[in-house]
């Protein structure tokens, strides 16, 4: 992640806040003032309307208002309402003559008064035909007599009072905006420490891994159980695995180089020796056998490599048939007779029945059995016994191949299924293996959706157990 991205984000955040503040300020300033005036006008109108029916005579003649005692109660109530509402209340006739006012004024007439100036509203704002020195909110209520409008009640309220309320409301808006800004700033800081900095570390680590530096320790501190934490731990785990793969690749190159170089060196050396006469003709048959043996090793290694490559690119194709696993094991045992005679190794085949029909790919399962028996012979001492057990449970058939050989070290148990992996004991005891047999066996069993496991103790022996699906008619 480039630094400019984060700074651009900060700049966008500031600009959005400023624009939002200006929009809120300008919009709320106009809307709040308009709403306050409208609400105050309605309040004044309702207040005056509520008492007008009670304080005014039914047939109210305005020309008698100032002289008749009949209107004393009306004046008293108007004065009281004026004080309560902090306003000036006037009674004017249709022409604009002031009949009565709750505040003293030498002016007895409102020049150019025209009720139509109020439009569809019952209120207006301004200096009210220059009658007041300051801006007022003026509300009109008709005075009727015999169902005719003879004049108006006018109530005038100072706009400055509304402005004070409006200013208080705007201050609340400003303070609210400030709190929102501080809150979002806290959120931004949390985002920086919780998201941006970890993502930046992950980005840096990814670049290091892309360079091949899988030992980079920048993500070792990621332990939080959230999406970013899990991503960091996953990348850290990936780097360790890639580092192991890199190490395994180096071992693979070393092993495969050794496995190819040794027989090639033997073949080349014996061939040159026979060509230049170093080996006499009567002994050449012996060395021809050695050359053929080394050639078969190379052929077997090449076939295994090609098989694994084909399985990786196209997957393993299975030809599922039903066959007797006991017969297949017996056939594989016979193929090792000469090899076992040299080491005086015997087989002990334990089974309750000679008929265990399974559903699997016969050729590939035969390869698994061959690899496991070959592996057992390879690591078994002379004059020992290899035990092969066949049993069944439920819908599964279990096959076990157990030797009494040197065993496998604990730190190697999880690696024996890897391609070209050989333990040090393996290389010391037997150099004919390619390190592919167990890898091939595991892939074959896995593609059958079955399991293969190993139990081993150093100096005691090793047991391999795999399962197969029992045939339906078994």
């Amino acid at each position: 992640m480039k630094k400019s991205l984060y700074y651009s984000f900060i700049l966008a955040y500031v600009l959005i806040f400023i624009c939002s503040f200006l929009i809120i300020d300008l919009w709320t300033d106009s809307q709040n003032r308009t709403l306050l005036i409208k609400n105050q006008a309605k309040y004044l109108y309702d207040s005056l309307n509520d008492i007008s029916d009670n304080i005014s005579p039914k047939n109210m003649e305005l020309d008698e208002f100032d002289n008749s005692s009949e209107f004393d109660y009306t004046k008293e109530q108007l004065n009281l309402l004026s004080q309560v509402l902090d306003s000036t209340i006037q009674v004017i006739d249709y022409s604009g003559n002031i009949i009565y006012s709750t505040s003293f004024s030498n002016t007895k007439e409102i020049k150019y008064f025209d009720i139509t100036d109020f439009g569809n509203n019952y209120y207006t704002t301004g200096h009210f035909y220059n009658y007041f020195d300051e801006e007022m909110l003026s509300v009109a209520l008709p005075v009727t007599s015999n169902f005719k409008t003879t004049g108006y009640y006018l109530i005038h309220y100072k706009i400055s009072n509304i402005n004070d309320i409006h200013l208080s409301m705007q201050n609340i808006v400003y303070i609210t905006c400030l709190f929102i800004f501080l809150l979002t700033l806290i959120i931004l800081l949390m985002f920086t420490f919780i998201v941006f900095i970890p993502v930046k570390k992950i980005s840096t680590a990814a670049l290091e891994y892309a360079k091949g530096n899988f030992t980079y320790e920048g993500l070792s501190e990621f332990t939080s159980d959230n999406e970013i934490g899990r991503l960091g731990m996953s990348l850290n785990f990936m780097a360790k695995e890639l580092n192991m793969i890199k190490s395994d690749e180096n071992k693979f190159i070393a092993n495969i180089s050794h496995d190819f170089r040794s027989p090639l060196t033997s073949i080349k050396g014996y061939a040159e020796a026979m060509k230049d006469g170093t080996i006499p003709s009567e002994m050449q048959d012996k060395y021809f056998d050695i050359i053929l043996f080394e050639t078969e090793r190379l052929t077997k290694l090449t076939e295994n490599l090609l098989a694994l490559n084909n399985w990786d690119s196209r997957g393993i194709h299975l030809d599922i048939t039903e066959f007797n696993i006991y017969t297949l094991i017996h056939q594989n045992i016979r193929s090792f007779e000469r090899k076992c005679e040299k080491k005086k190794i015997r087989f002990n085949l334990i089974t309750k029945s000679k008929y265990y029909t399974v559903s699997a790919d016969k050729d590939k399962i035969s390869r698994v059995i061959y690899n496991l028996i070959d592996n057992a012979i390879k690591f078994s001492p002379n004059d020992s016994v290899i035990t092969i057990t066949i049993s069944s449970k439920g819908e599964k058939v279990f096959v076990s191949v157990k030797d009494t050989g040197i065993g496998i070290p604990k730190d190697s148990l999880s690696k024996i299924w890897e391609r070209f992996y050989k333990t040090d004991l393996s290389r010391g005891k037997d150099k004919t293996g390619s390190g592919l047999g167990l890898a091939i066996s595991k892939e074959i069993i896995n593609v059958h959706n079955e399991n293969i496991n190993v139990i081993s103790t150093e100096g005691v022996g090793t047991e391999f157990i795999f399962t197969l699906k029992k045939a339906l008619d078994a």
Side-chain angles (χ1 to χ4, degrees), residues 375 378-379 406-407 421-433 435:
N375 200 68
K378 190 184 304 179
F379 298 111
I406 58 178
Y421 180 79
K422 294 181 181 181
T423 64
D424 292 336
L425 291 174
S426 168
R427 186 162 292 284
K429 281 283 182 180
D430 193 303
K431 297 185 180 182
T432 61

Side-chain angles (χ1 to χ4, degrees), residues 295-360:
T295 303
E296 288 175 359
R297 272 185 66 193
L298 287 174
T299 301
K300 182 179 178 181
L301 178 60
T302 303
E303 288 175 350
N304 286 336
L305 284 171
L306 289 173
L308 285 174
N309 182 63
N310 289 334
W311 293 348
D312 285 342
S313 61
R314 298 192 298 268
I316 304 177
H317 173 71
L318 297 179
D319 182 15
I320 302 296
T321 58
E322 294 182 356
F323 58 92
N324 187 357
I325 190 68
Y326 174 87
T327 304
L328 188 64
I329 292 173
H330 209 270
Q331 291 171 350
N332 277 277
I333 290 174
R334 285 202 300 267
S335 66
F336 286 97
E337 285 181 357
R338 287 187 62 188
K339 198 170 186 179
C340 290
E341 285 176 1
K342 292 180 181 179
K343 297 183 71 174
K344 297 181 180 180
I345 292 175
R346 301 180 306 280
F347 286 96
N348 183 19
L349 184 55
I350 301 174
T351 176
K352 291 182 178 180
S353 171
K354 294 184 179 181
Y355 301 97
Y356 284 94
T357 308
V358 297
S359 178

Side-chain angles (χ1 to χ4, degrees), residues 34 120 133 148 159 186 197 200 218 261 269 283 294 326 334 346 360 421 426:
T34 301
N120 295 328
D133 295 331
K148 293 182 180 181
I159 289 292
I186 293 172
I197 292 178
K200 186 177 180 182
R261 185 173 61 248
M283 296 183 63
E294 296 294 353
Y326 174 87
R334 285 202 300 267
R346 301 180 306 280
Y421 180 79
S426 168

Side-chain angles (χ1 to χ4, degrees), residues 222-254:
F222 279 75
T223 57
S224 56
D225 188 20
N226 54 39
E227 287 77 2
I228 294 178
R230 288 193 290 272
L231 175 61
M233 289 187 286
S234 297
L235 284 175
N236 195 32
F237 176 76
M238 179 195 71
K240 291 180 180 179
E241 291 296 311
L242 288 173
N243 193 41
M244 290 180 62
I245 292 173
K246 186 178 181 181
S247 176
D248 290 342
E249 285 179 351
N250 293 333
K251 291 180 182 178
F252 158 74
I253 293 172

Side-chain angles (χ1 to χ4, degrees), residues 37-49 85 87-92 113 115 118 121-126 128 132 136-142 152-157 159 162:
I37 291 174
K38 183 177 180 180
N39 288 341
Q40 184 64 23
K42 185 177 185 304
Y43 173 69
L44 296 175
Y45 182 90
D46 291 342
S47 299
L48 187 58
N49 188 49
L85 299 178
S87 59
T88 298
I89 299 177
Q90 297 173 332
V91 181
I92 65 174
F113 172 75
I115 193 63
F118 285 74
N121 298 322
Y122 50 86
Y123 69 91
T124 185
T125 58
F128 200 68
F132 296 101
M136 304 290 284
L137 168 63
S138 301
V139 179
L141 180 68
Y152 300 94
Y153 288 117
L154 293 176
I155 182 167
H156 306 283
Y157 185 80
I159 289 292
I162 297 177

